[in-house]
Amino acid sequence: MTTDLSILKLITDASLVVKIVMLMLMMASLLSWALIVAKSSKISSTQSNVTRFEERFWSGVSLNSLYEELSQTTNRTGLERIFYDGFHEYKRAIATDPTARLSVTDSVQRAMRVAASKEVDELEQNLAFLATVGSTSPYVGLFGTVWGIMNSFISLGQMQQATLGVVAPGIAEALIATAIGLFAAIPAVIAYNRFSDKIDRMVVSYDNFREEFTALLERHAAAQRKPA
């Protein structure tokens, strides 16, 4: 008589605790994969937006024209949002006090920092879940493995005559929990590191744009104040 050691059979015959561990890990894996797909699409879209807006911005288009163009839509993301909020604050500040160059620069910088912070926060949303799955899944799987092996040795001690064929299924089903834990953890860790690197690069792009745009607005404000 041969023992069925197929993966499905081992999972269905596992103890209740090991089954719960496997179920938790599979759910974590599915959720992390769904998040990976969604986050990958979001970050790729934002990167494309940054590239497209930079090309448009440095093409020589009028700042007022670009501002009016963006004011027609509420779906502003990335550099579009940073530019719009910054230029909106610039126009408001200049209309209030055309001679206050320093306060204008400070208020524009604050407006763009807030916009950039909101953009980065949206990009980083739920990344902590990937980090949690990546760091805890192996330990959760190891818990299931230890529990299963412990039960196997307890059963082994209660038998008069024990053979490898008797304890092998219990040990094998326990090891599956560790395998599922690694299966959940590895993609989550890779995705988290990859997304974090891309977001850091976009933060640098946002910071560079803010500094360049502020300098441009300073020259623009100085030119407006020159006597005719």
Side-chain angles (χ1 to χ4, degrees):
M1 181 179 179
T2 59
T3 304
D4 187 358
L5 294 179
S6 65
I7 300 296
L8 183 59
K9 180 65 174 175
L10 291 173
I11 292 175
T12 55
D13 289 347
S15 64
L16 178 60
V17 173
V18 177
K19 282 182 179 177
I20 292 174
V21 168
M22 291 179 181
L23 180 61
M24 290 173 57
L25 291 172
M26 284 189 241
M27 289 179 61
S29 179
L30 289 174
L31 288 173
S32 65
W33 273 108
L35 179 58
I36 287 170
V37 172
K39 190 61 66 176
S40 178
S41 175
K42 171 69 175 177
I43 292 177
S44 296
S45 174
T46 303
Q47 285 179 319
S48 298
N49 172 277
V50 168
T51 301
R52 186 168 56 251
F53 181 82
E54 283 184 329
E55 291 176 353
R56 173 83 169 136
F57 182 82
W58 296 112
S59 66
V61 63
S62 166
L63 296 181
N64 284 301
S65 298
L66 188 56
Y67 174 79
E68 292 299 327
E69 179 183 317
L70 291 176
S71 66
Q72 304 300 317
T73 177
T74 57
N75 189 28
R76 294 180 289 269
T77 59
L79 290 183
E80 292 177 346
R81 183 176 185 177
I82 295 171
F83 164 81
Y84 182 85
D85 287 5
F87 199 66
H88 179 78
E89 178 62 23
Y90 170 78
K91 290 172 71 70
R92 186 200 65 77
I94 288 295
T96 302
D97 186 0
T99 63
R101 178 178 177 181
L102 182 60
S103 61
V104 167
T105 300
D106 289 343
S107 62
V108 169
Q109 277 280 14
R110 282 195 297 271
M112 289 194 292
R113 274 198 301 269
V114 171
S117 178
K118 290 178 180 178
E119 285 296 310
V120 173
D121 184 63
E122 289 179 7
L123 291 174
E124 291 180 340
Q125 189 176 9
N126 296 323
L127 276 188
F129 177 77
L130 290 180
T132 302
V133 171
S135 60
T136 62
S137 291
Y139 296 104
V140 175
L142 183 60
F143 168 76
T145 297
V146 171
W147 187 274
I149 291 177
M150 180 183 68
N151 285 338
S152 295
F153 278 107
I154 290 174
S155 301
L156 180 63
Q158 294 173 348
M159 294 179 182
Q160 296 293 332
Q161 184 178 3
T163 63
L164 183 60
V166 174
V167 298
I171 295 175
E173 74 185 28
L175 291 173
I176 291 176
T178 296
I180 296 176
L182 293 174
F183 178 79
I186 292 173
V189 170
I190 293 174
Y192 175 81
N193 291 332
R194 186 166 175 263
F195 293 154
S196 295
D197 178 67
K198 288 187 175 183
I199 291 173
D200 287 343
R201 291 174 183 271
M202 272 188 282
V203 169
V204 172
S205 296
Y206 292 166
D207 290 343
N208 291 339
F209 177 80
R210 286 201 340 254
E211 295 301 322
E212 292 170 344
F213 185 42
T214 300
L216 185 63
L217 289 180
E218 287 179 343
R219 293 194 297 270
H220 188 271
Q224 284 189 330
R225 285 193 296 269
K226 287 182 179 180

